[in-house]
Amino acid sequence: MIGKTEQEIELMREPNRIVRDCLNFVGERIHAGMTTKEIDELVYRFIKASDAEPSCLGYCGYPASACVSVNETVVHGIPDGRVLREGDIVSVDLCAYKNGYHGDGARTFAIGAVSAENEKLIRVTEECFFRGIEGLKAGTPLYDIGYRVQQHAEKNGFSVIRAYTGHGIGREMHEDPSVPNFGRKGTGMRLPVNTVICIEPMIAAGGFRVNVLDDGWTAVTRDGKCAAHYENTVVVREDGVEILTL
């Protein structure tokens, strides 16, 4: 059964609150001159201090507590000694595990003054999330979400990454259903009440095709153009959505 019970949703509130607060904590501290590894260390310490576990650490062998993706890296950037520079854009994707459940969220941050295109890319990617949840409630066809995301991204001259999707979440970090950021309106399963999903537009300034580097994780745009990422965990209710990570 995809829909969660009210008791399960209550247990999911705390890990999702930790994700929200950790992303805010990172956003207040991220700056030019720090390394992506230092961002990961901030995330690890914050989640552990919240009496939770970083879900990403060790997941399928992933070596860090956060995915830190710079510029042309779309998702799953492994934190290392790379130094952030003025004008970079940096996506931070993280998960926390507490009460037997996971929370998940992502934001893209501008490092100092960025180009007008990258400023627009970050803004439009966030807007795509909110377009995606317009009209979303129990009974909505799944692919209506991606249809709305895709329409808004392409209207603004950007493309939607196809290789990665949002997902259900709960006791496992990734559960059914997959939630694409593209699709045909009126198609897909009708979402049951209390479905908990991660909606996460990944939007590129150029084409949507990606390559995965030799580390098996880092996904970069094939054309080297920048990409942005914005994610929240939401509950599909009878009359709308509840966002657990805002």
Side-chain angles (χ1 to χ4, degrees):
M1 184 174 133
I2 288 180
K4 301 283 192 286
T5 66
E6 289 297 339
Q7 182 182 20
E8 287 180 298
I9 291 165
E10 283 304 309
L11 290 169
M12 292 187 75
R13 290 189 189 284
E14 195 168 4
N16 280 287
R17 178 189 57 76
I18 291 165
V19 167
R20 176 200 70 194
D21 291 348
C22 188
L23 287 166
N24 290 339
F25 178 81
V26 170
E28 289 163 1
R29 289 160 178 79
I30 197 167
H31 62 269
M34 75 189 305
T35 66
T36 57
K37 182 66 177 170
E38 286 172 324
I39 296 169
D40 185 62
E41 288 164 358
L42 286 178
V43 170
Y44 177 80
R45 290 200 300 269
F46 187 98
I47 293 174
K48 294 293 281 187
S50 303
D51 197 26
E53 294 298 324
S55 311
C56 296
L57 186 59
Y59 178 77
C60 296
Y62 188 75
S65 300
C67 299
V68 185
S69 304
V70 184
N71 296 337
E72 74 282 358
T73 303
V74 180
V75 283
H76 305 155
I78 297 174
D80 57 17
R82 179 173 181 166
V83 176
L84 299 182
R85 305 193 185 285
E86 179 99 5
D88 285 341
I89 66 171
V90 186
S91 301
V92 179
D93 186 3
L94 60 94
C95 303
Y97 180 75
K98 191 170 185 178
N99 301 332
Y101 289 87
H102 297 271
D104 191 0
R107 303 286 184 267
T108 300
F109 303 106
I111 305 302
V114 301
S115 70
E117 181 180 58
N118 281 341
E119 197 173 286
K120 181 183 176 185
L121 178 64
I122 293 171
R123 175 178 56 78
V124 169
T125 302
E126 180 174 340
E127 289 171 357
C128 281
F129 168 83
F130 289 100
R131 291 299 176 96
I133 64 172
E134 278 180 11
L136 178 57
K137 61 183 180 180
T140 297
L142 173 63
Y143 299 142
D144 279 18
I145 299 168
Y147 170 81
R148 290 180 179 278
V149 170
Q150 182 179 13
Q151 290 290 305
H152 190 64
E154 292 177 356
K155 184 181 81 177
N156 281 280
F158 299 135
S159 65
V160 168
I161 299 297
R162 309 292 181 94
Y164 298 93
T165 69
H167 52 90
I169 188 169
R171 289 193 175 277
E172 302 294 332
M173 186 164 43
H174 294 106
E175 298 182 353
D176 289 334
S178 289
V179 185
N181 292 305
F182 60 95
R184 195 155 55 86
K185 192 175 183 180
T187 64
M189 65 175 287
R190 292 189 176 270
L191 293 167
V193 68
N194 290 356
T195 300
V196 184
I197 52 178
C198 295
I199 299 173
E200 48 179 318
M202 289 160 267
I203 307 300
F208 64 80
R209 289 182 173 80
V210 301
N211 290 331
V212 177
L213 301 187
D214 290 343
D215 60 27
W217 286 102
T218 308
V220 300
T221 57
R222 198 170 289 180
D223 59 14
K225 296 285 186 69
C226 286
H229 186 191
Y230 183 88
E231 175 183 17
N232 286 306
T233 300
V234 309
V235 185
V236 180
R237 297 295 199 178
E238 286 283 6
D239 57 352
V241 296
E242 181 182 357
I243 304 173
L244 298 180
T245 40
L246 282 182

